[in-house]
Amino acid sequence: MKKSKIFAVIGGIGVAVLSVFLISADHIDAPAIQGTTADITDFYAFQGENNGNFVFAANVQGLLAPGQPTTQAIFDETVLIEINIDNDNDLKEDLVIQAIKRGDSMYFIGPTGPATPGMDPLESTIATSTKRSVKISTKDDVQIAEKDGMKFFAGPREDPFFFDFNQYNAILAGTASSFNNPGADTFAGTNVLSIVVEVPKSMIPGGVAGVNQFAPNTPIYNVWVEAKRKI
Amino acid sequence: MKTLKYITLFAAISTSLLFVQCKDDDDNVIFQETCTDGIMNGEETGVDCGGPECAPCGQVIDFSGTYKQEDQMGRPGINTVFGTTGFKDAFNVTVPTAMQAAFQTKFQDRLLALNAGYTTNALGLDAATFTTVLSNDVLWLGKTGITTYFNGTEILTGRALSDDVIDVSLLLIFGGPDGSENPDLTSDGVPTNDVTFSSSFPYLAGPF
C-alpha cells in the first residue's frame, strides 16, 4: 500500500523511476514531505576554502534525472529554506539564514535573529533585515553573487550524497545479508536543487566548548535546516 | 592573495567575454549584472528595475506572510534510519528542544531492532547515550579547525561534502565497541561520490 503510493508519487512527478522507496540521507524521509518542493535531501556545514568562512549547503527536491526533470525543476516561492544556528547550546536558534525565491532570483536574509511571529516555534516570518540575492543558476548559466563577504548560489547541482541504498533496503527486507564491495551508489547520476551560502565566521558569534566530548576544546554551534511553507 | 588572483583571473575572463564587471565602494563583486544585484547597471532605469530585462520600477517584492515548518534535518539519515512508521512526519515538525523527550526511547528501540547485540560503539556510547545524542537532530559545527563528520581523527565537527557519513553511521550502529563486529554491515562499499567536488564555491559539482 505504502510502496505503491510512493511509486505513484514518483511516477507522477516524472522523476527517474528508481527501485527504492525510502531514500536517505533525508531524501523523501517521511510520507508527508516526500516528493514535495519542501523535501530537504541533505544538509552540509563546513569550513570554506577560506578558513575564516563557513559554508552551508541545503539541498531539496532530490532524485532529479538529467535532462528535462532537472531543467524543469524550480524552487518554490512558497517554501522558505531556513538555516538555523544555535550558538549557546540550548537547542534554540539564535541566528537564521533564510533563503526564498522571488522571480528569477534567490533572496538571502541573515545571519539575523529568528523572526517568529507568535508562540508556535514551527512558524517564521521573513526577517526584515538586509536582503542579498543571486540570480538562480541553470546548468549552463552558473551565477554566483558576492556581497559583504558572503557568497551565494542557488540552482541545480549533482547530488553529492552517495550510498548503496538499494542494498541497505535489501538487508532490511531480509533478502540480503551483507553489503557488496564495491557497492553501487544509488544516487549516482542524479541531481538536486542546491542552496549554498558562504558566510564569514565573524558574522556568527558564540559557540560553546564542551558540547562535543570528542572535541572538548572546540567551540561548537548546533546547526540544522528547516523547510517552511507559506500558510 | 588567492582571492585576489581569482578576481584578477575572473576579470580577465569577463573582459574577454565582454561581460561587465562592476566593483563598487562596498566591495561588491558582481559577476554579471542582474535585476537583483543591488546596483543600477545595464539598461536599468533604477536600482534593479526598469529597462527591457527587469521589472518596472516602483514594484515592491512581497516577503510578507507566515511560513510553517514541513521538513527539517540536522545530521544525515537520522529520520530515515531511526524514524519508524507512525512518527517520521512528526519528527519533521518537531523543534530540537522537544526532540529528545519525544523520540529518544523510540530511537533506542529502533537501534536495538537494527542490532539486537548492541552494547556500545566505537565512540564508547551505550544505547541510551547514543540515541540521546542522535535524537537531538542538530549537526555540530566546530568554530575552529577541521570540519568533518569523521575523518579518522576529528569526530563530529561538521559535515563536508566528501564525508562518508553512511559508513560512519553503519560503523556506530553495527560495529560494536571496537568497530569489528558485523563486518558485513559496517561499510556499504561506496566510499566516495560519483563526481569530484570543487575546492571553490559553490563546492558542489555541476548537474548531469
Side-chain angles (χ1 to χ4, degrees):
Chain A
M1 171 61 189
K2 187 172 172 193
K3 197 169 166 180
S4 62
K5 206 170 128 192
I6 295 165
F7 273 127
V9 169
I10 290 174
I13 59 174
V15 302
V17 177
L18 298 170
S19 58
V20 295
F21 54 91
L22 284 173
I23 301 293
S24 182
D26 202 72
H27 309 61
I28 49 179
D29 59 308
I33 194 69
Q34 63 202 4
T36 75
T37 51
D39 190 9
I40 298 162
T41 66
D42 260 304
F43 177 55
Y44 301 84
F46 53 95
Q47 188 169 264
E49 181 180 23
N50 173 342
N51 63 18
N53 293 345
F54 283 131
V55 179
F56 299 99
N59 295 336
V60 294
Q61 302 187 39
L63 295 173
L64 299 172
Q68 209 175 56
T70 296
T71 57
Q72 292 187 344
I74 52 171
F75 290 103
D76 187 336
E77 295 204 7
T78 67
V79 174
L80 175 68
I81 301 297
E82 191 169 76
I83 294 159
N84 293 262
I85 302 160
D86 162 28
N87 64 16
D88 57 6
N89 197 38
D90 64 358
L91 297 174
K92 286 182 186 167
E93 64 272 30
D94 300 292
L95 294 165
V96 297
I97 300 171
Q98 299 177 317
I100 192 157
K101 178 188 181 232
R102 287 290 179 267
D104 65 355
S105 297
M106 184 66 69
Y107 285 79
F108 292 84
I109 303 96
T112 185
T116 308
M119 296 301 290
D120 187 345
L122 297 176
E123 294 182 0
S124 292
T125 54
I126 296 173
T128 54
S129 56
T130 305
K131 294 174 179 63
R132 304 173 178 95
S133 67
V134 64
K135 188 180 176 191
I136 292 170
S137 294
T138 64
K139 182 182 178 185
D140 300 318
D141 176 24
V142 177
Q143 297 279 332
I144 294 168
E146 287 194 40
K147 189 146 180 141
D148 305 327
M150 305 174 75
K151 295 182 185 180
F152 306 96
F153 171 87
R157 294 277 98 180
E158 183 270 339
D159 189 341
F161 189 58
F162 47 95
F163 182 21
D164 189 344
F165 199 63
N166 287 338
Q167 192 65 14
Y168 178 75
N169 280 331
I171 292 167
L172 287 187
T175 58
S177 58
S178 69
F179 285 107
N180 300 315
N181 192 10
D185 180 4
T186 308
F187 301 86
T190 67
N191 300 320
V192 290
L193 293 185
S194 295
I195 293 169
V196 189
V197 56
E198 184 158 338
V199 187
K201 290 180 178 178
S202 58
M203 288 186 174
I204 305 176
V208 179
V211 172
N212 178 351
Q213 62 178 288
F214 312 105
N217 300 319
T218 304
I220 295 286
Y221 303 96
N222 297 314
V223 297
W224 66 100
V225 65
E226 296 166 345
K228 299 181 172 182
R229 189 178 297 277
K230 192 168 186 179
I231 55 175
Chain B
M1 179 61 188
K2 205 162 184 180
T3 309
L4 186 66
K5 247 166 75 183
Y6 177 62
I7 291 171
T8 308
L9 176 66
F10 191 86
I13 293 169
S14 299
T15 308
S16 70
L17 294 177
L18 294 177
F19 283 174
V20 179
Q21 165 114 4
C22 309
K23 197 169 191 312
D24 70 12
D25 295 334
D26 297 330
D27 204 28
N28 299 326
V29 179
I30 303 301
F31 288 74
Q32 192 174 346
E33 63 207 24
T34 71
C35 301
T36 54
D37 56 24
I39 298 166
M40 186 175 122
N41 50 17
E43 295 178 72
E44 293 167 4
T45 57
V47 174
D48 294 340
C49 64
E53 301 292 332
C54 306
C57 293
Q59 223 171 52
V60 178
I61 301 174
D62 180 11
F63 290 104
S64 68
T66 299
Y67 294 76
K68 186 155 186 173
Q69 184 171 326
E70 290 193 351
D71 200 2
Q72 70 83 33
M73 178 177 186
R75 297 189 178 95
I78 298 301
N79 202 14
T80 304
V81 174
F82 290 98
T84 51
T85 307
F87 76 86
K88 282 174 180 282
D89 288 334
F91 187 76
N92 276 336
V93 290
T94 302
V95 292
T97 47
M99 283 177 169
Q100 185 179 327
F103 301 113
Q104 186 271 322
T105 56
K106 291 185 168 74
F107 277 26
Q108 186 168 337
D109 293 345
R110 177 66 173 162
L111 174 64
L112 296 174
L114 287 169
N115 180 7
Y118 187 95
T119 53
T120 66
N121 63 20
L123 298 180
L125 305 177
D126 64 22
T129 310
F130 185 39
T131 52
T132 296
V133 171
L134 295 183
S135 66
N136 294 311
D137 186 21
V138 296
L139 183 66
W140 288 338
L141 176 64
K143 184 171 189 167
T144 53
I146 294 166
T147 45
T148 178
Y149 210 61
F150 178 64
N151 67 355
T153 309
E154 311 295 328
I155 299 168
L156 297 174
T157 56
R159 182 184 178 192
L161 295 170
S162 58
D163 290 342
D164 190 353
V165 296
I166 291 299
D167 276 16
V168 174
S169 304
L170 293 171
L171 190 76
L172 294 178
I173 293 167
F174 294 108
D178 64 1
S180 68
E181 293 177 9
N182 303 305
D184 287 343
L185 299 176
T186 50
S187 172
D188 72 338
V190 184
T192 56
N193 191 37
D194 52 325
V195 174
T196 306
F197 300 115
S198 169
S199 59
S200 299
F201 193 89
Y203 305 99
L204 286 77
F208 289 103

PDB file of all heavy atoms in Angstrom, chain A residues 9-30:
ATOM      1  N   VAL A   9       3.645   8.511  -6.631  1.00  0.00           N
ATOM      2  CA  VAL A   9       4.158   9.880  -6.482  1.00  0.00           C
ATOM      3  C   VAL A   9       5.372  10.086  -7.376  1.00  0.00           C
ATOM      4  O   VAL A   9       5.476  11.054  -8.112  1.00  0.00           O
ATOM      5  CB  VAL A   9       4.526  10.175  -5.006  1.00  0.00           C
ATOM      6  CG1 VAL A   9       5.291  11.479  -4.917  1.00  0.00           C
ATOM      7  CG2 VAL A   9       3.269  10.230  -4.154  1.00  0.00           C
ATOM      8  N   ILE A  10       6.283   9.124  -7.329  1.00  0.00           N
ATOM      9  CA  ILE A  10       7.500   9.249  -8.136  1.00  0.00           C
ATOM     10  C   ILE A  10       7.147   9.309  -9.618  1.00  0.00           C
ATOM     11  O   ILE A  10       7.618  10.175 -10.345  1.00  0.00           O
ATOM     12  CB  ILE A  10       8.460   8.072  -7.852  1.00  0.00           C
ATOM     13  CG1 ILE A  10       9.024   8.215  -6.438  1.00  0.00           C
ATOM     14  CG2 ILE A  10       9.582   8.018  -8.867  1.00  0.00           C
ATOM     15  CD1 ILE A  10       9.866   7.056  -5.981  1.00  0.00           C
ATOM     16  N   GLY A  11       6.264   8.427 -10.057  1.00  0.00           N
ATOM     17  CA  GLY A  11       5.860   8.434 -11.459  1.00  0.00           C
ATOM     18  C   GLY A  11       5.168   9.732 -11.815  1.00  0.00           C
ATOM     19  O   GLY A  11       5.406  10.322 -12.864  1.00  0.00           O
ATOM     20  N   GLY A  12       4.334  10.200 -10.894  1.00  0.00           N
ATOM     21  CA  GLY A  12       3.523  11.384 -11.149  1.00  0.00           C
ATOM     22  C   GLY A  12       4.338  12.642 -11.347  1.00  0.00           C
ATOM     23  O   GLY A  12       3.979  13.499 -12.140  1.00  0.00           O
ATOM     24  N   ILE A  13       5.446  12.764 -10.653  1.00  0.00           N
ATOM     25  CA  ILE A  13       6.233  13.981 -10.822  1.00  0.00           C
ATOM     26  C   ILE A  13       7.348  13.784 -11.843  1.00  0.00           C
ATOM     27  O   ILE A  13       8.162  14.649 -12.061  1.00  0.00           O
ATOM     28  CB  ILE A  13       6.810  14.497  -9.479  1.00  0.00           C
ATOM     29  CG1 ILE A  13       7.696  13.443  -8.824  1.00  0.00           C
ATOM     30  CG2 ILE A  13       5.699  14.922  -8.545  1.00  0.00           C
ATOM     31  CD1 ILE A  13       8.410  13.945  -7.588  1.00  0.00           C
ATOM     32  N   GLY A  14       7.368  12.650 -12.470  1.00  0.00           N
ATOM     33  CA  GLY A  14       8.215  12.476 -13.639  1.00  0.00           C
ATOM     34  C   GLY A  14       9.691  12.338 -13.361  1.00  0.00           C
ATOM     35  O   GLY A  14      10.517  12.530 -14.245  1.00  0.00           O
ATOM     36  N   VAL A  15      10.073  12.007 -12.149  1.00  0.00           N
ATOM     37  CA  VAL A  15      11.497  11.790 -11.903  1.00  0.00           C
ATOM     38  C   VAL A  15      11.836  10.350 -12.255  1.00  0.00           C
ATOM     39  O   VAL A  15      10.975   9.556 -12.567  1.00  0.00           O
ATOM     40  CB  VAL A  15      11.885  12.088 -10.436  1.00  0.00           C
ATOM     41  CG1 VAL A  15      11.522  13.504 -10.085  1.00  0.00           C
ATOM     42  CG2 VAL A  15      11.226  11.109  -9.491  1.00  0.00           C
ATOM     43  N   ALA A  16      13.121  10.064 -12.235  1.00  0.00           N
ATOM     44  CA  ALA A  16      13.555   8.735 -12.609  1.00  0.00           C
ATOM     45  C   ALA A  16      12.883   7.687 -11.733  1.00  0.00           C
ATOM     46  O   ALA A  16      12.723   7.851 -10.540  1.00  0.00           O
ATOM     47  CB  ALA A  16      15.058   8.630 -12.454  1.00  0.00           C
ATOM     48  N   VAL A  17      12.467   6.622 -12.345  1.00  0.00           N
ATOM     49  CA  VAL A  17      11.899   5.528 -11.571  1.00  0.00           C
ATOM     50  C   VAL A  17      13.050   4.709 -11.012  1.00  0.00           C
ATOM     51  O   VAL A  17      13.793   4.068 -11.729  1.00  0.00           O
ATOM     52  CB  VAL A  17      10.988   4.650 -12.446  1.00  0.00           C
ATOM     53  CG1 VAL A  17      10.477   3.467 -11.632  1.00  0.00           C
ATOM     54  CG2 VAL A  17       9.842   5.465 -12.989  1.00  0.00           C
ATOM     55  N   LEU A  18      13.219   4.808  -9.722  1.00  0.00           N
ATOM     56  CA  LEU A  18      14.301   4.087  -9.066  1.00  0.00           C
ATOM     57  C   LEU A  18      13.693   2.980  -8.234  1.00  0.00           C
ATOM     58  O   LEU A  18      12.585   3.091  -7.734  1.00  0.00           O
ATOM     59  CB  LEU A  18      15.098   5.035  -8.161  1.00  0.00           C
ATOM     60  CG  LEU A  18      15.784   6.185  -8.889  1.00  0.00           C
ATOM     61  CD1 LEU A  18      16.338   7.186  -7.890  1.00  0.00           C
ATOM     62  CD2 LEU A  18      16.900   5.650  -9.763  1.00  0.00           C
ATOM     63  N   SER A  19      14.454   1.918  -8.098  1.00  0.00           N
ATOM     64  CA  SER A  19      13.923   0.772  -7.379  1.00  0.00           C
ATOM     65  C   SER A  19      14.112   0.931  -5.877  1.00  0.00           C
ATOM     66  O   SER A  19      14.483   0.011  -5.180  1.00  0.00           O
ATOM     67  CB  SER A  19      14.604  -0.499  -7.868  1.00  0.00           C
ATOM     68  OG  SER A  19      15.993  -0.367  -7.687  1.00  0.00           O
ATOM     69  N   VAL A  20      13.885   2.128  -5.408  1.00  0.00           N
ATOM     70  CA  VAL A  20      13.943   2.376  -3.968  1.00  0.00           C
ATOM     71  C   VAL A  20      12.688   3.129  -3.581  1.00  0.00           C
ATOM     72  O   VAL A  20      12.083   3.802  -4.392  1.00  0.00           O
ATOM     73  CB  VAL A  20      15.158   3.224  -3.572  1.00  0.00           C
ATOM     74  CG1 VAL A  20      16.428   2.469  -3.844  1.00  0.00           C
ATOM     75  CG2 VAL A  20      15.149   4.543  -4.301  1.00  0.00           C
ATOM     76  N   PHE A  21      12.292   2.990  -2.350  1.00  0.00           N
ATOM     77  CA  PHE A  21      11.084   3.690  -1.958  1.00  0.00           C
ATOM     78  C   PHE A  21      11.273   4.514  -0.699  1.00  0.00           C
ATOM     79  O   PHE A  21      10.406   5.253  -0.294  1.00  0.00           O
ATOM     80  CB  PHE A  21       9.900   2.728  -1.820  1.00  0.00           C
ATOM     81  CG  PHE A  21      10.141   1.565  -0.918  1.00  0.00           C
ATOM     82  CD1 PHE A  21       9.825   1.637   0.415  1.00  0.00           C
ATOM     83  CD2 PHE A  21      10.679   0.388  -1.432  1.00  0.00           C
ATOM     84  CE1 PHE A  21      10.040   0.565   1.250  1.00  0.00           C
ATOM     85  CE2 PHE A  21      10.887  -0.693  -0.596  1.00  0.00           C
ATOM     86  CZ  PHE A  21      10.573  -0.619   0.749  1.00  0.00           C
ATOM     87  N   LEU A  22      12.393   4.395  -0.084  1.00  0.00           N
ATOM     88  CA  LEU A  22      12.716   5.303   1.006  1.00  0.00           C
ATOM     89  C   LEU A  22      14.154   5.726   0.800  1.00  0.00           C
ATOM     90  O   LEU A  22      15.036   4.893   0.664  1.00  0.00           O
ATOM     91  CB  LEU A  22      12.585   4.607   2.363  1.00  0.00           C
ATOM     92  CG  LEU A  22      11.167   4.392   2.860  1.00  0.00           C
ATOM     93  CD1 LEU A  22      11.174   3.545   4.108  1.00  0.00           C
ATOM     94  CD2 LEU A  22      10.481   5.717   3.129  1.00  0.00           C
ATOM     95  N   ILE A  23      14.385   7.011   0.768  1.00  0.00           N
ATOM     96  CA  ILE A  23      15.699   7.483   0.363  1.00  0.00           C
ATOM     97  C   ILE A  23      16.376   8.254   1.494  1.00  0.00           C
ATOM     98  O   ILE A  23      15.800   9.108   2.113  1.00  0.00           O
ATOM     99  CB  ILE A  23      15.567   8.393  -0.883  1.00  0.00           C
ATOM    100  CG1 ILE A  23      14.934   7.636  -2.032  1.00  0.00           C
ATOM    101  CG2 ILE A  23      16.908   8.924  -1.288  1.00  0.00           C
ATOM    102  CD1 ILE A  23      15.759   6.534  -2.601  1.00  0.00           C
ATOM    103  N   SER A  24      17.623   7.941   1.718  1.00  0.00           N
ATOM    104  CA  SER A  24      18.460   8.634   2.679  1.00  0.00           C
ATOM    105  C   SER A  24      19.352   9.606   1.893  1.00  0.00           C
ATOM    106  O   SER A  24      19.459   9.446   0.700  1.00  0.00           O
ATOM    107  CB  SER A  24      19.299   7.580   3.374  1.00  0.00           C
ATOM    108  OG  SER A  24      20.109   8.125   4.334  1.00  0.00           O
ATOM    109  N   ALA A  25      20.048  10.602   2.468  1.00  0.00           N
ATOM    110  CA  ALA A  25      20.174  10.897   3.872  1.00  0.00           C
ATOM    111  C   ALA A  25      18.870  11.443   4.451  1.00  0.00           C
ATOM    112  O   ALA A  25      18.437  11.049   5.525  1.00  0.00           O
ATOM    113  CB  ALA A  25      21.292  11.900   4.094  1.00  0.00           C
ATOM    114  N   ASP A  26      18.236  12.341   3.765  1.00  0.00           N
ATOM    115  CA  ASP A  26      16.935  12.813   4.224  1.00  0.00           C
ATOM    116  C   ASP A  26      15.958  12.847   3.044  1.00  0.00           C
ATOM    117  O   ASP A  26      14.844  13.311   3.180  1.00  0.00           O
ATOM    118  CB  ASP A  26      17.060  14.217   4.844  1.00  0.00           C
ATOM    119  CG  ASP A  26      15.913  14.530   5.803  1.00  0.00           C
ATOM    120  OD1 ASP A  26      15.893  13.954   6.899  1.00  0.00           O
ATOM    121  OD2 ASP A  26      15.035  15.319   5.452  1.00  0.00           O
ATOM    122  N   HIS A  27      16.418  12.362   1.898  1.00  0.00           N
ATOM    123  CA  HIS A  27      15.567  12.344   0.707  1.00  0.00           C
ATOM    124  C   HIS A  27      14.283  11.572   1.013  1.00  0.00           C
ATOM    125  O   HIS A  27      14.342  10.463   1.532  1.00  0.00           O
ATOM    126  CB  HIS A  27      16.241  11.644  -0.467  1.00  0.00           C
ATOM    127  CG  HIS A  27      17.627  12.113  -0.802  1.00  0.00           C
ATOM    128  ND1 HIS A  27      18.684  12.042   0.050  1.00  0.00           N
ATOM    129  CD2 HIS A  27      18.118  12.636  -1.950  1.00  0.00           C
ATOM    130  CE1 HIS A  27      19.770  12.492  -0.538  1.00  0.00           C
ATOM    131  NE2 HIS A  27      19.456  12.866  -1.760  1.00  0.00           N
ATOM    132  N   ILE A  28      13.166  12.135   0.613  1.00  0.00           N
ATOM    133  CA  ILE A  28      11.841  11.554   0.890  1.00  0.00           C
ATOM    134  C   ILE A  28      11.844  10.681   2.145  1.00  0.00           C
ATOM    135  O   ILE A  28      11.588   9.493   2.112  1.00  0.00           O
ATOM    136  CB  ILE A  28      11.228  10.821  -0.334  1.00  0.00           C
ATOM    137  CG1 ILE A  28      12.176   9.841  -1.004  1.00  0.00           C
ATOM    138  CG2 ILE A  28      10.750  11.792  -1.368  1.00  0.00           C
ATOM    139  CD1 ILE A  28      11.528   9.114  -2.203  1.00  0.00           C
ATOM    140  N   ASP A  29      12.130  11.359   3.253  1.00  0.00           N
ATOM    141  CA  ASP A  29      12.339  10.629   4.504  1.00  0.00           C
ATOM    142  C   ASP A  29      11.051  10.304   5.237  1.00  0.00           C
ATOM    143  O   ASP A  29      11.055   9.506   6.156  1.00  0.00           O
ATOM    144  CB  ASP A  29      13.254  11.445   5.427  1.00  0.00           C
ATOM    145  CG  ASP A  29      12.664  12.815   5.755  1.00  0.00           C
ATOM    146  OD1 ASP A  29      12.296  13.526   4.807  1.00  0.00           O
ATOM    147  OD2 ASP A  29      12.561  13.151   6.931  1.00  0.00           O
ATOM    148  N   ALA A  30       9.962  10.940   4.884  1.00  0.00           N
ATOM    149  CA  ALA A  30       8.723  10.701   5.618  1.00  0.00           C
ATOM    150  C   ALA A  30       7.539  10.907   4.682  1.00  0.00           C
ATOM    151  O   ALA A  30       7.622  11.674   3.727  1.00  0.00           O
ATOM    152  CB  ALA A  30       8.629  11.649   6.808  1.00  0.00           C
TER     153      ALA A  30
END
